[in-house]
Amino acid sequence: MIEALWGWPPPVFDPAGPYAESVTTLAWVLLGMGVAVTAIVVAALWVALRGPDALKRKLGGERTVWIGGVAFPGVVLTALLVWGLALTASLTADITGDEMRVRVTGEMWWFRVEYLDDDGNVLVADANELHLPVGEPVVLELQSADVIHSFWVPHLSGKKDMIPGRTTLLRVQADRPGRFGGVCAEYCGGPHALMGFVAIAHGQDDFRQWLAGKARRQAASAPGGGAGRRQFMDSGCAACHRVAGTPANGLAGPDLTHVGSRQTLGAGILPNNRGTLIGWIGDSQSIKPGNRMPSYDMLSAEELEDIAIWLEQQK
Amino acid sequence: MKAVGQIFGHAAALGCALGLAACKQPPASRYTFDAGLRDMGRHVIERAGCAACHEIPGIDWPEGRTGPSLAGFDGVGPIAGYLPNTPANLARFVRNAPAAKPGSTMPAMPISSEEAHAVAAYLYGIDDD
């Protein structure tokens, strides 16, 4: 179940960082202004229909039209615009280049996530999950591999489109540790509604340790072996999936080097455990119809479990 | 359907009351659980992702097909065709199937035994006839 769409308070009302905070504040103020203006209009309508004659005459007078129709909206809307632009200036401030960078690529129907080093090389490849340190801005390089997607983790920022052939930058920041759901916010075909994402904010030391551990694993050989690994290689999984330190080097589907430590399967939609791994591999089409992974219903239950056991060890 | 069933049920009860025959209806459900426990079971099912493999009445999505459908579960015979169909056995089975039924291809699930009892309560509470 995509977390960004559920829960209380709704994620859009519960900002966890400065870039989401200003958007939420602006939305509340605009809503408040809208309610106030609606109340004034309804009151004027009541006066026009049922009010005493003296008030009716005033309402129809030239003075009221100048004040209520020109001066009030002119002043209020100008003030709101100036205040709103100042409030959200941080969203479009120049990116200094010192921030940590993560490339997030929209794919039909999942997110490729690559942590970049200072030279822009991929340090850690992962999918459908973004880990970030608390209290530090992180710059996301948003791209698309196919159609237009939109990246949205409501706790952390507004939406930003992922456009084929372009890199758009989005700054996010979490000010408290936690797990924040995200979603693709631009219709991108078939299982678009099941294209989710999870962002996880750690304390800064925790995060550095996490990233270093993942980077070490990318350079090492894959843990575990036996029947599951053999079955994975023999069933053709490697044509689409990469597991670092093995011959599996397919790039069409999500990188599975760390799949065992991910919180979700199927792009932010299923919890990750041995049972859901088996269900996903065995018949992903019944879970996420139209996704690009075929259902491996030609495998026996034992073979599915062997693969799941091996994948669980890929952390 | 349920309403129609109830009408027939009432008619049958009326028949009994009139002394037409010494008939006795089987109970509507062999076990009853309180709504709170069933509700908890439903949350556990969603959190553990049981529906990734099983179609489960009351869970809209997903409707996995790797395992058997649990529609009509209130009316099945032995659990997985093997264990006597009791709440204790069902709780044992959903938590650690290979231990409850040697050779089961359903894996152990990451739920506590308390949660397993709630899942069993939910499954016994399914009434979709």
Side-chain angles (χ1 to χ4, degrees):
Chain A
M1 205 56 49
I2 292 179
E3 289 174 57
L5 305 177
W6 304 99
W8 196 262
V12 280
F13 294 146
D14 183 31
Y19 303 113
E21 182 99 55
S22 54
V23 175
T24 305
T25 307
L26 185 65
W28 277 118
V29 170
L30 292 183
L31 180 71
M33 291 302 300
V35 169
V37 169
T38 306
I40 293 170
V41 170
V42 169
L45 196 63
W46 181 83
V47 167
L49 294 175
R50 300 273 168 85
D53 286 345
L55 275 183
K56 274 187 184 170
R57 263 193 300 281
K58 270 194 180 165
L59 187 65
E62 199 171 319
R63 212 174 119 90
T64 310
V65 172
W66 276 108
I67 294 176
V70 179
F72 176 76
V75 170
V76 169
L77 290 182
T78 308
L80 261 184
L81 180 67
V82 171
W83 175 76
L85 288 176
L87 180 75
T88 54
S90 67
L91 300 183
T92 48
D94 286 341
I95 284 169
T96 61
D98 302 334
E99 300 94 342
M100 183 182 108
R101 289 210 172 206
V102 183
R103 187 188 300 140
V104 183
T105 308
E107 310 249 358
M108 291 160 105
W109 290 270
W110 56 283
F111 296 92
R112 188 186 297 277
V113 178
E114 293 160 311
Y115 298 81
L116 306 178
D117 65 14
D118 293 342
D119 303 323
N121 301 315
V122 176
L123 193 64
V124 172
D126 204 4
N128 303 321
E129 200 163 292
L130 171 70
H131 292 253
L132 70 170
V134 163
E136 273 180 40
V138 174
V139 170
L140 305 181
E141 297 185 358
L142 302 179
Q143 300 184 343
S144 169
D146 33 53
V147 299
I148 300 176
H149 301 275
S150 187
F151 181 90
W152 190 29
V153 179
H155 283 105
L156 300 184
S157 77
K159 302 166 187 170
K160 193 106 173 187
D161 278 4
M162 311 170 106
I163 298 166
R166 258 209 236 182
T167 300
T168 38
L169 300 181
L170 174 68
R171 212 173 343 206
V172 296
Q173 181 175 323
D175 283 343
R176 55 177 151 99
R179 168 179 155 140
F180 309 113
V183 67
C184 173
E186 179 70 46
Y187 180 68
C188 57
H192 156 73
L194 293 174
M195 179 169 167
F197 190 82
V198 182
I200 297 141
H202 306 255
Q204 300 192 352
D205 291 344
D206 252 22
F207 172 77
R208 310 261 174 255
Q209 260 175 27
W210 177 89
L211 190 64
K214 296 295 180 215
R216 268 198 306 280
R217 165 63 191 90
Q218 297 257 330
S221 57
R229 176 177 163 136
R230 210 164 37 243
Q231 196 64 51
F232 184 89
M233 301 301 166
D234 290 352
S235 304
C237 308
C240 293
H241 294 290
R242 172 175 173 268
V243 179
T246 75
N249 204 24
L251 296 176
D255 191 303
L256 298 182
T257 308
H258 309 293
V259 69
S261 62
R262 276 187 215 145
Q263 311 226 343
T264 67
L265 291 180
I269 58 172
L270 285 179
N272 185 4
N273 57 53
R274 190 178 297 178
T276 53
L277 265 170
I278 291 172
W280 176 263
I281 302 165
D283 196 359
S284 70
Q285 291 300 327
S286 68
I287 297 168
K288 185 167 172 173
N291 93 83
R292 288 188 167 161
M293 173 157 157
S295 291
Y296 279 76
D297 47 12
M298 71 296 280
L299 297 179
S300 72
E302 287 81 8
E303 290 166 336
L304 289 172
E305 183 163 33
D306 287 342
I307 294 176
I309 289 171
W310 185 64
L311 288 178
E312 272 183 333
Q313 300 170 55
Q314 308 309 315
K315 295 200 168 176
Chain B
M1 282 311 287
K2 205 171 172 180
V4 174
Q6 271 173 1
I7 290 167
F8 280 121
H10 291 155
L14 193 66
C16 291
L18 291 174
L20 291 177
C23 61
K24 189 178 175 201
Q25 289 286 307
S29 176
R30 284 169 298 173
Y31 305 103
T32 49
F33 297 92
D34 72 87
L37 192 64
R38 293 211 318 265
D39 217 38
M40 175 182 165
R42 191 201 153 85
H43 286 296
V44 173
I45 287 171
E46 285 177 352
R47 189 185 49 69
C50 307
C53 291
H54 300 285
E55 179 194 346
I56 303 173
I59 309 281
D60 294 337
W61 175 91
E63 291 183 356
R65 295 178 306 214
T66 302
S69 165
L70 303 183
F73 189 80
D74 56 331
V76 301
I79 296 163
Y82 178 77
L83 290 168
N85 200 334
T86 66
N89 277 344
L90 184 57
R92 232 154 45 86
F93 185 81
V94 297
R95 179 154 185 246
N96 193 348
K101 178 193 173 187
S104 171
T105 52
M106 172 165 147
M109 293 299 287
I111 56 177
S112 70
S113 55
E114 195 189 355
E115 288 171 333
H117 280 285
V119 171
Y122 182 82
L123 294 180
Y124 275 117
I126 292 173
D127 182 10
D128 57 350
D129 300 332

